[in-house]
Amino acid sequence: MEPLYMELPAVEYVRRRRCDSAASVPQFCNSPTIIVMVGLPARGKTYISKKLTRYLNWIGVPTKVFNLGQYRREAVQSYKNFEFFKPDNEEAMMIRIACASAALKDVATYFTKEQGQVAVFDATNTTRERRGSILRFAKERGFKVFFVESVCDDPDIIAENIKAVKISSPDYVDRDTEDALEDFLQRIECYKMTYVPIDDQKDRNLSYIKIFNVGSRYLVNRVQDHIQSRIVYYLMNIHVTPRSIYLSRHGESELNLVGRIGGDTGLSARGAEYAAALAKFIKGQKIKDLKVWTSHMKRTIQTAEALGVQYEQWKALNEIDAGVCEELTYEEIQEKHPEEFALRDQDKYRYRYPKGESYEDMVHRLEPVIMELERQENVLVICHQAVMRCLLAYFTDKTADELPYLRCPLHTVLKLTPVAYGCKVEGVCLNIEAVDTHRERPSVVDINRNPEEALQTVPDHT
């Protein structure tokens, strides 16, 4: 097969563009990575694939999942039963091989045409032959391969996974639950006939992580580079224990009242009211072993104090540093720094305030917070608007373009509950009046725009 050569994008230099934040990860465009999932059905491979992809995209590594089940469903319009997966079903095996080839072809296109850096090949990949063909495919094209094998022999975990996601899959639409369960168990038996796990001796030259029983034990072998190291670290921190994460901004601050950004003032009278209301709300939730985190800033600490419980302060949770624009109103920024104001509107995620930070910088400094949130169970994070946007974007899989415009109003609690392949978000307004600090994306972002156009979406603070 002819090798595909990488098309490296031309470097474009833009005059005075303050979007040159130090990247939190090196660029891997000349040596992309295929993450190859391995394991029997109902071992959490798709859960790991989606979660890992969400994390890598959040930290700035373009990543995409290629789920072989979707390719199979497109090739075979209607699923009959488990016999499709029998190793001796030659006709079905030809279809499955063709689907794998189509998916790998799409992986190559993603790397060469779409500047992707990581592809997650989400399939069982339970035979040495299949894994060998993927390795050959990658070697011919200069792609790296990292295997993630999920091994699970705990019947309770397997049963829970089947119940949570498998019997509600497109394969079992309009099928009786018991019938679907029986068929899926038979499907697993079909895979068991030919399943050959990654072998510690025979495969000692491969790069891989084995995850046993959803994280009770790990085996890591030959990590090749920085990105694989990040992947391993992340996978060793996630868990599936049911929990909720509560996100709240501090109560309204004195600077919020006058429309000034940043600073380190205390709460307004209404902000103090919210702190008391938050304490009452949290107490009413009866949350087991709740941990409370704040930033180092007065307004989050004063909000937490009303709870009457211990809390942990994180400097990483401090609000975005607006540099020369700290404690200015949007009107003053437009008056004193009109070009900067326009540049930020052109690319709010990557724009860095002079002597300050960008949203991209914040994602980098919030990564340890995300890792610790993944390790923990129930946590209340009392933070700031930009910080809350970054955290919310991670849990809800929002793009870098969407992130800076996520609505995170004052005096509202967001309850995030991880579900099978995503996150359920519930907003609870505690009915304490507060100013609106949300500025919508403006329609005119040209440097030569007039002040009225620049200030069109500034929230009222008079």
Side-chain angles (χ1 to χ4, degrees):
M1 194 180 288
E2 288 295 314
L4 299 175
Y5 296 98
M6 302 301 299
E7 296 180 4
L8 297 178
V11 179
E12 184 180 351
Y13 296 95
V14 182
R15 183 183 70 88
R16 282 208 71 239
R17 190 177 178 194
R18 291 193 180 274
C19 301
D20 54 349
S21 305
S24 57
V25 291
Q27 297 302 300
F28 299 99
C29 292
N30 63 339
S31 186
T33 298
I34 307 177
I35 298 171
V36 181
M37 302 304 300
V38 178
L40 293 169
R43 265 59 180 181
K45 297 183 302 299
T46 298
Y47 170 81
I48 292 168
S49 299
K50 287 177 178 285
K51 200 165 174 92
L52 183 58
T53 297
R54 178 158 55 86
Y55 163 70
L56 291 172
N57 279 317
W58 186 75
I59 63 170
V61 181
T63 305
K64 186 175 178 180
V65 176
F66 295 82
N67 179 278
L68 208 54
Q70 291 180 354
Y71 284 83
R72 188 253 306 162
R73 289 182 195 102
E74 287 172 11
V76 182
Q77 293 298 315
S78 61
Y79 171 76
K80 291 192 176 98
N81 58 40
F82 69 90
E83 291 187 0
F84 181 87
F85 297 98
K86 282 186 171 180
D88 58 0
N89 187 335
E90 293 183 10
E91 183 184 352
M93 187 58 73
M94 293 295 290
I95 294 170
R96 291 162 67 188
I97 291 170
C99 289
S101 297
L104 287 173
K105 184 179 177 183
D106 287 347
V107 167
T109 300
Y110 177 62
F111 287 154
T112 57
K113 305 293 185 188
E114 301 171 41
Q115 284 75 53
Q117 291 180 24
V118 176
V120 183
F121 193 70
D122 179 18
T124 54
N125 300 313
T126 45
T127 65
R128 296 183 67 80
E129 291 76 17
R130 169 62 63 81
R131 297 195 292 269
S133 68
I134 296 170
L135 284 165
R136 287 190 297 276
F137 172 89
K139 188 176 180 181
E140 286 171 7
R141 292 158 179 79
F143 304 154
K144 293 179 180 178
V145 174
F146 187 75
F147 292 96
V148 177
E149 183 169 22
S150 181
V151 181
C152 184
D153 55 14
D154 184 324
D156 291 337
I157 294 174
I158 296 167
E160 185 58 37
N161 195 11
I162 293 172
K163 180 181 159 190
V165 294
K166 296 303 178 185
I167 58 176
S168 60
S169 86
D171 289 341
Y172 297 115
V173 173
D174 300 327
R175 290 277 285 270
D176 174 75
T177 301
E178 288 301 316
D179 179 39
L181 177 60
E182 179 59 32
D183 184 84
F184 194 82
L185 291 171
Q186 292 281 4
R187 188 194 297 194
I188 294 174
E189 292 305 313
C190 291
Y191 278 101
K192 280 184 178 178
M193 293 178 197
T194 55
Y195 177 30
V196 180
I198 293 174
D199 187 274
D200 299 353
Q201 287 303 313
K202 291 179 182 176
D203 298 316
R204 62 184 178 276
N205 292 324
L206 300 182
S207 298
Y208 63 84
I209 179 172
K210 281 194 175 198
I211 304 169
F212 296 90
N213 289 325
V214 205
S216 63
R217 187 164 69 91
Y218 304 88
L219 176 63
V220 181
N221 191 71
R222 281 188 176 267
V223 173
Q224 295 180 76
D225 56 25
H226 175 78
I227 196 67
Q228 291 182 14
S229 176
R230 297 280 281 266
I231 289 165
V232 166
Y233 181 53
Y234 180 73
L235 292 178
M236 291 178 72
N237 278 284
I238 63 176
H239 66 83
V240 293
T241 307
R243 45 74 176 266
S244 289
I245 294 163
Y246 297 82
L247 301 181
S248 171
R249 289 175 65 186
H250 52 81
E252 179 186 72
S253 73
E254 291 163 358
L255 284 185
N256 288 149
L257 280 176
V258 290
R260 297 188 179 278
I261 66 172
D264 191 19
T265 56
L267 300 180
S268 69
R270 294 189 304 198
E273 269 188 74
Y274 172 73
L278 178 64
K280 185 178 178 183
F281 169 77
I282 291 296
K283 188 176 180 181
Q285 291 283 294
K286 295 182 169 57
I287 307 160
K288 184 185 175 187
D289 299 327
L290 178 69
K291 294 193 175 178
V292 179
W293 297 352
T294 74
S295 72
H296 279 203
M297 295 181 145
K298 288 177 190 173
R299 52 197 187 272
T300 64
I301 292 168
Q302 288 178 3
T303 305
E305 281 287 342
L307 295 169
V309 298
Q310 285 190 322
Y311 55 88
E312 186 177 341
Q313 296 178 31
W314 286 69
K315 192 172 183 181
L317 288 171
N318 282 4
E319 181 58 303
I320 190 169
D321 183 350
V324 299
C325 297
E326 277 285 309
E327 299 195 26
L328 298 182
T329 65
Y330 286 124
E331 291 85 353
E332 288 169 345
I333 297 171
Q334 167 61 25
E335 183 184 342
K336 296 177 181 178
H337 311 285
E339 187 174 339
E340 295 298 336
F341 201 39
L343 287 170
R344 188 166 196 254
D345 285 343
Q346 288 173 17
D347 188 348
K348 193 174 177 182
Y349 180 76
R350 292 174 185 83
Y351 169 87
R352 181 185 286 143
Y353 282 109
K355 299 183 180 179
E357 291 180 297
S358 66
Y359 271 93
E360 188 175 36
D361 294 331
M362 288 190 63
V363 164
H364 179 57
R365 73 162 151 98
L366 284 166
E367 190 181 357
V369 176
I370 287 296
M371 283 295 181
E372 194 58 27
L373 279 173
E374 287 292 1
R375 288 168 56 86
Q376 297 292 337
E377 293 184 16
N378 298 312
V379 182
L380 165 63
V381 184
I382 301 172
C383 54
H384 307 265
Q385 180 167 251
V387 173
M388 193 163 162
R389 283 171 172 161
C390 293
L391 299 178
L392 187 61
Y394 167 77
F395 285 107
T396 57
D397 199 17
K398 299 298 183 185
T399 65
D401 188 53
E402 294 170 304
L403 183 156
Y405 295 100
L406 293 177
R407 190 173 281 279
C408 298
L410 286 164
H411 300 179
T412 299
V413 181
L414 293 185
K415 180 182 178 182
L416 311 182
T417 306
V419 291
Y421 293 151
C423 189
K424 178 183 173 188
V425 182
E426 300 169 79
V428 183
C429 176
L430 298 192
N431 295 318
I432 306 294
E433 197 176 338
V435 295
D436 180 11
T437 61
H438 183 82
R439 179 171 177 253
E440 293 284 358
R441 189 195 303 262
S443 56
V444 181
V445 297
D446 188 82
I447 286 174
N448 298 317
R449 65 188 176 180
N450 62 49
E452 290 75 25
E453 291 171 325
L455 299 170
Q456 183 183 16
T457 60
V458 170
D460 183 27
H461 56 81
T462 55

